[in-house]
Amino acid sequence: MQASRRAFFAICGSHKRDVIRPPWALPEAKFIENCTRCSACIDLCPTRLLVKGSGGFPEADFTPGRATEGCTFCGNCLTACQERVLIKRQDQAAWTLQAVFGESCLAAKNVVCRTCGEACEAQAINFLPHLGGVSRPQLKAEACNGCGACLADCPTQAISLRPDLSLSIATQGAT
Ligand code: SF4
Ligand code: SF4
Ligand code: SF4
């Protein structure tokens, strides 16, 4: 491994939780070792989700208002990647992200809002009756694919995507 790559990996490893690689990326060590930082995946992403991140390596940036509809799993980035650090595996999800609803959710403040549920093609968001208030969003974790469409549409930026740690452990070491 080149010295510059080794140095970057040491930095990246310490901030690993903050970085979301493109879908179906190889495990971080192999990704950093083999990605040439050519930006081909970034250039072909139709939703502008992918950006050049730290060290010039591609990242998914779910900042509200940036990517128009999250990840559509169109596969353009995989097709663009000549180094094969993005490889679709039938038995593995694109990533281990799950939607989490925060305190600024309008429904939690008794304002009717179902925007996230309407944005979710996977139908992973239920609105359950809430005693003494309006229905609040609740995630069906097994249905959420981490696409980020709900996050892009939420008027109060109440949704974030977090890794599902149980899945991270289950898929560790997979190539
Ligand atoms: S699968 Fe498509 S939408 Fe998702 S990051 Fe890759 S190019 Fe962008
Ligand atoms: S779109 Fe945002 S504010 Fe509206 S219900 Fe969903 S999380 Fe709450
Ligand atoms: S991240 Fe995607 S699949 Fe998960 S709740 Fe949001 S819109 Fe639905």
Side-chain angles (χ1 to χ4, degrees), residues 43 99 104:
D43 294 342
S104 60

Side-chain angles (χ1 to χ4, degrees), residues 49 62-71 115-116 119 147-157 159-161:
L49 177 67
F62 285 97
T63 306
R66 256 214 78 259
T68 46
E69 48 189 319
C71 180
T115 305
C116 52
C147 70
C150 55
L151 181 152
D153 280 6
C154 174
T156 59
Q157 304 180 357
I159 306 175
S160 54
L161 288 175

